[in-house]
Amino acid sequence: MPAAAPASAPVQKTILRALAGETLATPPIWMMRQAGRYLPEYRATRAQAGDFLSLCYNPELAAEVTLQPIRRYGFDAAILFADILLVPQALGADLWFVTGEGPRLSTISDQSGFDALKPASAIHDTLSPIYETVKILSRELPAETTLIGFAGAPWTVATYMIAGRGTPDQGPAHAMREGAPEAFDALIARITEATIDYLSMQIEAGAEVVKIFDSWAGSLKGDAFRRYALEPAREITAALKARHPGIPVIAFPREAGEGYIGFGRATGADCVAIDNSVSPEWAAEHVQKDGCVQGNLASSHMVTGGQALVDDTQRVVRAFHKGPHIFNLGHGITPDADPENVALMIETVRNFRD
Ligand code: 1CP
């Protein structure tokens, strides 16, 4: 006779169950940029740290801002507070933030720029405080909350390292991809290697899931999408799963459109995060059929609120409720969002009955 499961067997965390392919009655929920400027407690801690980068590299304060939205809202997951641009800095790029404008980095346009970078093995000198933040979080988070680590995908990180800033069309990165393809490929390979080591250290420190943010994947088309969005995600996922068997991976090839179809299977990622430029019904039909999806409420609802927020939240839950789903926004919450609207979204998700 099979032994009965002990009555005290721990219930697995909801996010991990969804990532394992389970369809849950209520989808687990977290929110991109859930620790951020829309929260007064975040602004207070950032002021205490001095500036954004000092906050990222201060393990106690970075853990504190990671925990703030968990305390306030009881999200099912916490995402490590850090930034995708710390990897370029660890590879030797200069990085600074201009208040009111955003990040600035030194630029790379050719082989000599690439040659000046540090080897991937050097990143831990800079990034070790981040692993310390993960260790604090894995001690301090509530038992039911999943800890997500993350990094930028190689293409998205490269767009910032090449242009030195965020760009509307990623023009400088496309120009280098076409004009200096060998140096560009070497850069993608260097970031890929660094990302594998960085995420691996986050997992060793206690991250239970990792997410790869490819915010600018949408500007890669055809063969370029396959080479620079899909292939690096596949390589990173395979290496992480070889080193840490069973570690769940969420891939976010933002604005991939048709490129979302089959992305999970082709990369080995356990979940594909969907932005809100595609409808939830389309994503349920074409992407969720292969496994877990995450998304995809428009983040503008966190600013505008009201009945439209409720209606669209219900629409997302309804569209995905026949398969594994993690509720999230289609992109990060913006600083002008109203914290009350976040509470309304969560209440709507958790009270949903079909
Ligand atoms: O406090 C501040 O003023 C800084 C705002 C801020 C925050 C809160 C930045 C600057 N980064 C972050 C944290 C951050 N960044 C997290 C923490 C965890 C959470 O989600 O709560 C994460 C996951 C990121 C990821 C990130 N950084 C991405 C990928 C996701 C996305 O939004 O597309 C990107 C592209 C960045 C770069 C970056 N960092 C910060 C800004 C303003 C930007 C975008 C710059 C640009 O494109 O112009």
Side-chain angles (χ1 to χ4, degrees), residues 94-105:
D94 294 329
L95 172 67
W96 67 103
F97 279 79
V98 181
T99 313
E101 289 190 34
R104 294 288 182 271
L105 298 92

Side-chain angles (χ1 to χ4, degrees), residues 229-311:
L230 198 149
E231 182 52 28
R234 189 202 62 73
E235 198 179 329
I236 293 165
T237 303
L240 292 176
K241 286 179 181 279
R243 289 191 203 176
H244 311 277
I247 185 76
V249 175
I250 303 173
F252 183 34
R254 191 170 74 90
E255 294 190 354
E258 299 277 317
Y260 280 128
I261 302 173
F263 198 84
R265 263 182 296 131
T267 58
D270 302 84
C271 176
V272 180
I274 312 278
D275 75 276
N276 55 279
S277 69
V278 296
S279 76
E281 293 80 12
W282 180 90
E285 184 184 343
H286 296 284
V287 191
Q288 194 186 30
K289 69 177 173 51
D290 292 335
C292 188
V293 291
Q294 177 178 280
N296 70 339
L297 183 71
S299 56
S300 55
H301 283 302
M302 299 303 103
V303 181
T304 51
Q307 191 58 40
L309 181 164
V310 172
D311 292 347

Side-chain angles (χ1 to χ4, degrees), residues 80-94:
L80 162 70
F81 188 84
D83 195 79
I84 67 165
L85 300 176
L86 305 185
V87 166
Q89 188 175 40
L91 286 171
D94 294 329

Side-chain angles (χ1 to χ4, degrees), residues 48-285:
Q48 192 188 336
D51 58 37
F52 175 69
L53 283 175
S54 307
L55 178 55
C56 290
Y57 288 117
N58 181 322
E60 293 293 335
L61 295 183
E64 167 58 23
V65 293
T66 307
L67 290 164
Q68 285 168 349
I70 308 304
R71 287 192 206 111
R72 185 190 266 258
Y73 298 116
F75 282 117
D76 296 290
I79 184 158
L80 162 70
F81 188 84
D83 195 79
I84 67 165
L85 300 176
L86 305 185
V87 166
Q89 188 175 40
L91 286 171
D94 294 329
L95 172 67
W96 67 103
F97 279 79
V98 181
T99 313
E101 289 190 34
R104 294 288 182 271
L105 298 92
S106 43
T107 60
I108 295 176
S109 55
D110 56 15
Q111 189 67 40
S112 66
F114 172 77
D115 290 341
L117 292 175
K118 295 181 190 171
S121 58
I123 61 169
H124 308 304
D125 297 346
T126 303
L127 298 173
S128 55
I130 310 306
Y131 314 142
E132 199 49 47
T133 307
V134 176
K135 282 186 195 153
I136 296 172
L137 288 167
S138 64
R139 280 198 307 269
E140 294 193 0
L141 275 169
E144 67 276 13
T145 314
T146 301
L147 177 55
I148 303 176
F150 76 93
W155 161 251
T156 286
V157 172
T159 66
Y160 289 94
M161 293 179 79
I162 295 165
R165 59 191 296 166
T167 45
D169 59 357
Q170 297 75 59
H174 287 293
M176 182 172 169
R177 177 169 77 74
E178 282 158 20
E182 286 178 10
F184 180 80
D185 283 2
L187 179 61
I188 292 287
R190 176 69 54 85
I191 301 168
T192 301
E193 189 188 348
T195 303
I196 293 167
D197 285 349
Y198 179 46
L199 290 175
S200 203
M201 291 295 276
Q202 292 183 29
I203 294 162
E204 278 170 34
E208 300 166 285
V209 174
V210 293
K211 178 168 175 185
I212 306 167
F213 285 88
D214 209 347
S215 304
W216 302 116
S219 78
L220 293 166
K221 305 294 176 203
D223 190 52
F225 180 84
R226 190 190 56 72
R227 275 183 79 170
Y228 298 117
L230 198 149
E231 182 52 28
R234 189 202 62 73
E235 198 179 329
I236 293 165
T237 303
L240 292 176
K241 286 179 181 279
R243 289 191 203 176
H244 311 277
I247 185 76
V249 175
I250 303 173
F252 183 34
R254 191 170 74 90
E255 294 190 354
E258 299 277 317
Y260 280 128
I261 302 173
F263 198 84
R265 263 182 296 131
T267 58
D270 302 84
C271 176
V272 180
I274 312 278
D275 75 276
N276 55 279
S277 69
V278 296
S279 76
E281 293 80 12
W282 180 90
E285 184 184 343

